[in-house]
């Protein structure tokens, strides 16, 4: 977290209606090495998206009833890193709710009461960082799991009463690891949820990687058992600001990627027949990785991987302390670069396609998320920016580095171009971010957990056609099918999405695939479930929300 060419980079390559029926599966997909691929039937519900209340040229901001801040008037570097946000349907009413972590005051549960209005419930006062909204207790209800950075994650258990002010704080038996970032998924495809945790050792002690940190740090895999979790320490070293579980090698099975700060190399583990195996897949990575996002941004069926760092587009005197630190920092390898990196998969493996401005140099960047914001069939990019630190910026008012967030439109899968007209160039100091359709009209709204200013929702008024897909993997302890892959095909184009629990910086979106469909009226859907089963549904209408149910 310490620490260009002026051209855009180029890439290498209705009323409600209901129906319920059975869809015959017809496509085989790659499955986990321990499971045979099986075609299965799946039930589905289809509900039309709401008609947009207004369409326009961009986004409309709405402040939310939450402010993340550090204790007192502190401007310490570790308080300047802020906290995350999560979005999910916590009370099963069909609307998506919001959870915002806080560093000192109460974290917030914002209950969606419709029409982009929310009722705030205080969760608990404390120092919380990351947010995951998953069924951590295995009882079928979505729980809230928050990280503290200095101890194991904390579960606020959902009892299924529908009362979003009545979560019960409980321990996660078998998880002791100090956790800053985390990713939940079904690692083994056996129908339950595992979790990988990462510590941020720099916050735990000023002596990086000191033995005083003990064994409950680093990168740790926790595999679910009937009695809790089996623990495997993948690495004793971590400065893990970012941690995601996503398919990076194209086999439809989630792998694990850790983004490290402070010159510590990023780490990747891929799934093999014998479990997770550490690999070096990337020729380039960010030097101080703040967040990860994986998405298929050119519609070729393979994920690209974007990591954020902290490099301004032009020389900036406000970065002088950072530049001095970077000049004195160790050169660990020839892979790490002090800028954002976009790794794209080609014939020779992964290569960095973010060289030069503007995508590689967006400022002091935290969350970088892909999402099809204009529903044209190509995923766009949005990046949050800013920092506060009396160590690095004591010469600035309130020791605050103020920078604009950056929005980029994906133009046909060939370039990401700045989109200043969308109204997303905020300067409130964004940290965690999530994207979701919060008003049910089929486009992605944006929620940002700012630092020292109100959290903000950006209402999407770009409109356009889309389909949203939600999975129900009934009879398992992974009811939202984390780790599944969804593909939609129309007129020779295939859009691919994954169901994941962690994206960006310390944040999580809902377990719902949003797919902008351009001019298509119908799409064919293929689901690869976490155990390798596949289902297909043909000729599904766009501008609808599709719920697909499968019981293995």
């Amino acid at each position: 977290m310490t620490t260009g060419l002026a051209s855009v980079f180029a890439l290498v390559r209705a009323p409600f209606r209901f129906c319920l029926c059975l869809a015959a599966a017809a496509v085989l997909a790659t499955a986990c090495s321990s499971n045979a691929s099986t075609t299965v039937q799946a039930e589905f519900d289809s509900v039309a998206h709401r008609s947009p209340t207004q369409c326009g040229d961009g986004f409309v901001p709405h402040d939310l009833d939450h402010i993340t801040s550090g204790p007192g008037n502190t401007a310490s570097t570790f308080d300047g890193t802020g906290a995350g946000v999560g979005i999910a349907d916590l009370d099963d009413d069909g609307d998506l709710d919001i959870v915002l972590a806080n560093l000192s005051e109460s974290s917030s549960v914002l209950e969606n009461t419709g029409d982009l209005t929310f009722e705030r419930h205080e969760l608990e006062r404390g120092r919380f960082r990351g947010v995951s909204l998953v069924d951590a207790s295995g009882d079928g209800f979505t729980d809230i799991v928050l990280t503290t950075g200095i101890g194991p994650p904390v579960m606020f258990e959902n009892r299924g009463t529908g009362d979003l002010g009545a979560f019960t704080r409980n321990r996660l038996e078998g998880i002791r690891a100090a956790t800053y970032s985390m990713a939940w998924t079904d690692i083994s495809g056996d129908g339950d949820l595992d979790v990988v945790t990462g510590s941020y050792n720099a916050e735990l002690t000023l002596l990086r990687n000191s033995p005083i940190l003990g064994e409950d740090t680093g990168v740790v895999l926790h595999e679910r058992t009937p009695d809790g979790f089996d623990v495997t320490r993948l690495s004793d070293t971590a400065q893990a600001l970012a941690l995601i579980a996503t398919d990076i090698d194209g086999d439809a099975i989630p792998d694990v990627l850790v983004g490290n700060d402070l010159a510590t190399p990023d780490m990747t583990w891929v799934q093999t027949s014998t479990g997770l195996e550490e690999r070096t897949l990337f020729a380039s990575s960010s030097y101080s990785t703040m967040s990860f996002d994986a998405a298929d941004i050119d519609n070729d069926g393979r994920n690209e991987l974007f990591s954020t760092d902290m490099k301004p587009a032009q020389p900036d005197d406000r970065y002088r302390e950072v530049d001095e630190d970077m000049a004195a920092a160790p050169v660990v390898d020839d892979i790490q670069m002090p800028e954002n990196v976009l790794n794209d998969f080609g014939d020779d493996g992964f290569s960095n396609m973010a060289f030069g401005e503007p995508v590689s140099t967006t400022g002091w960047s935290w969350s970088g998320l892909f999402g099809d914001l204009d529903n044209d069939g190509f995923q766009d990019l949005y990046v949050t920016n800013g920092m506060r630190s009396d160590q690095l910026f004591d010469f600035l008012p309130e020791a605050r580095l103020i920078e604009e967030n950056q929005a980029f439109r994906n133009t046909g899968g060939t370039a990401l171009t700045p989109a200043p007209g969308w109204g997303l160039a905020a300067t409130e100091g964004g940290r965690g971010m999530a994207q979701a359709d919060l008003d049910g009209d089929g486009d992605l709204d944006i929620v940002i957990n700012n630092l020292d200013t109100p959290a903000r929702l950006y209402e999407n008024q770009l409109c356009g056609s889309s389909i949203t897909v939600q999975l129900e993997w009934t009879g398992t302890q992974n009811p939202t099918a984390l780790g599944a892959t969804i593909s939609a095909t129309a007129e020779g184009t295939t859009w691919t999405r994954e169901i994941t629990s962690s994206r960006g910086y310390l944040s999580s979106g809902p377990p719902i695939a949003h797919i902008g469909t351009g001019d298509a009226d119908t799409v064919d859907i293929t689901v690869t479930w976490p155990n390798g089963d596949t289902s297909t549904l043909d000729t599904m209408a766009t501008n609808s929300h599709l719920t697909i149910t499968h019981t293995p």
Side-chain angles (χ1 to χ4, degrees):
M1 188 181 56
T2 51
T3 298
L5 300 175
S7 61
V8 177
F9 80 95
L11 300 175
V12 182
R13 12 156 211 125
F16 288 97
R17 58 185 176 81
F18 298 87
C19 64
L20 179 64
C21 66
L22 292 177
V27 177
L28 290 177
T30 303
C32 295
S33 57
S34 59
N35 296 303
S37 179
T38 305
T39 57
V40 297
Q41 292 183 326
E43 297 179 347
F44 73 90
D45 263 326
S46 182
V47 181
H49 289 152
R50 295 177 54 190
S51 297
T53 56
Q54 184 173 349
C55 292
D57 297 327
F59 291 75
V60 176
H62 304 274
D63 284 348
L64 297 172
D65 187 11
H66 174 91
I67 298 178
T68 291
S69 60
N73 294 319
T74 179
S76 74
T77 299
F78 292 127
D79 290 337
T81 56
V85 54
I87 299 177
D89 184 0
L90 297 173
D91 50 5
D92 293 325
D93 65 352
D95 293 322
L96 295 173
D97 311 297
I98 303 170
V99 176
L100 295 149
N102 208 332
L103 296 180
S104 60
E105 300 298 324
S106 296
S107 296
S108 300
V109 179
L110 302 185
E111 180 179 356
N112 192 335
T113 54
D115 298 321
L116 296 182
T117 61
F118 298 87
E119 179 183 354
R120 180 175 184 261
H121 304 274
E122 292 190 358
L123 188 59
E124 184 173 299
R125 183 171 180 169
R127 187 175 180 83
F128 295 112
R129 291 290 193 176
V131 182
S132 286
L133 306 182
V134 297
D135 182 13
S137 59
D139 62 359
F141 303 110
T142 300
D143 307 305
I144 300 170
V145 185
L146 305 181
T147 67
T148 66
I150 59 174
V154 177
M155 176 178 66
F156 295 90
E157 190 170 356
N158 187 346
R159 298 297 188 179
T161 63
D163 182 358
L164 298 192
F167 288 85
T168 303
R169 177 171 177 153
N170 278 329
R171 295 180 56 190
L172 288 162
E173 294 294 335
I175 300 181
R176 296 175 45 191
T179 303
Y180 190 92
S181 55
M182 62 183 164
W184 294 78
T185 194
D186 186 1
I187 287 285
S188 52
D190 60 358
D192 57 27
L193 281 181
D194 315 301
V195 61
V196 183
T197 63
S199 63
Y200 186 39
N201 294 358
E203 188 177 26
L204 291 171
T205 177
L206 296 178
L207 300 175
R208 290 182 58 234
N209 304 323
S210 167
I212 198 172
L213 293 176
E215 296 182 357
D216 294 326
T217 58
V219 182
V220 184
L221 168 64
H222 304 81
E223 294 185 271
R224 176 87 65 174
T225 70
D227 300 321
F229 295 88
D230 281 342
V231 176
T232 303
R233 197 181 193 191
L234 301 177
S235 172
D236 59 1
T237 301
Q239 307 291 349
L241 293 180
L243 201 161
I244 63 172
T246 185
D247 175 25
I248 205 65
D249 58 356
D251 62 359
I253 308 171
D255 308 300
V256 175
L257 294 94
V258 175
N260 286 309
D261 191 11
L262 300 168
T264 301
D266 294 346
M267 295 175 278
T268 303
W269 286 267
V270 300
Q271 293 216 54
T272 70
S273 60
T274 58
L276 290 176
E277 180 178 308
E278 190 169 7
R279 297 274 181 84
T280 300
L281 297 180
F282 306 106
S284 301
S285 66
S286 295
Y287 186 84
S288 301
T289 302
M290 321 277 266
S291 76
F292 274 138
D293 198 24
D296 180 12
I297 64 173
D298 52 5
N299 296 335
D300 68 348
R302 290 291 299 262
N303 278 338
E304 283 73 46
L305 178 70
F306 183 70
S307 58
T308 56
D309 206 307
M310 39 193 198
K311 184 176 182 179
Q314 303 294 334
D316 189 334
D317 184 62
R318 296 177 300 172
Y319 277 71
R320 57 180 180 260
E321 295 285 347
V322 178
D323 292 340
E324 291 175 3
D325 286 349
M326 288 298 298
V331 179
V332 179
D333 53 38
D334 58 359
I335 293 176
Q336 297 179 88
M337 307 171 62
E339 59 188 49
N340 301 344
V341 170
L342 176 62
N343 272 301
D344 176 58
F345 187 81
D347 293 338
D348 298 322
F350 288 94
S351 58
N352 179 24
M353 304 312 301
F355 290 114
E357 299 172 13
V359 173
S360 65
T361 53
T362 54
W364 196 296
S365 300
W366 294 97
S367 281
L369 287 188
F370 290 110
D372 190 352
L373 299 178
D374 57 359
N375 281 339
D376 68 347
F378 295 95
Q379 296 191 75
D380 311 296
L381 176 65
Y382 189 42
V383 181
T384 62
N385 289 320
M387 183 54 181
R388 189 184 188 198
S389 168
D390 52 13
Q391 178 184 358
L392 299 171
F393 303 113
D394 59 347
F395 53 90
L396 296 177
E398 298 181 326
R400 198 181 305 277
L401 176 69
I402 297 176
E403 298 176 309
E404 291 184 346
N405 296 344
Q406 304 288 316
F408 301 91
R409 183 173 182 265
N410 187 337
T411 54
T414 61
L416 293 170
T417 59
W422 284 356
L424 292 172
T427 58
E428 281 73 24
R431 302 297 188 265
M433 171 175 56
Q435 300 176 355
D437 181 11
L438 288 162
D439 50 4
D441 62 357
D443 52 29
L444 287 173
D445 309 298
I446 301 170
V447 176
I448 300 176
N449 194 352
N450 294 315
L451 183 69
D452 299 323
T453 61
R456 182 166 287 182
L457 183 156
Y458 290 90
E459 176 189 357
N460 190 340
Q461 294 189 349
L462 294 173
C463 299
S465 295
S466 71
I467 190 167
T468 50
V469 183
Q470 182 173 349
L471 303 181
E472 294 181 353
W473 205 26
T474 57
T476 75
Q477 290 188 309
N478 180 13
T480 60
L482 292 178
T485 301
I486 298 168
S487 296
T489 301
E491 300 174 359
T493 298
T494 298
W495 302 281
T496 304
R497 302 290 188 268
E498 284 185 272
I499 303 298
T500 61
S501 69
S502 61
R503 294 180 63 195
Y505 177 65
L506 298 179
S507 297
S508 59
I512 297 173
H514 169 272
I515 302 171
T517 54
D519 297 328
D521 295 323
T522 63
V523 294
D524 298 333
I525 300 291
T526 299
V527 178
T528 302
W529 300 89
N531 65 347
D533 289 348
T534 60
S535 306
T536 62
L537 294 85
D538 294 333
T539 321
M540 296 291 102
T542 59
N543 293 316
S544 62
H545 178 76
L546 188 64
T547 302
I548 303 174
T549 303
H550 166 48
T551 303

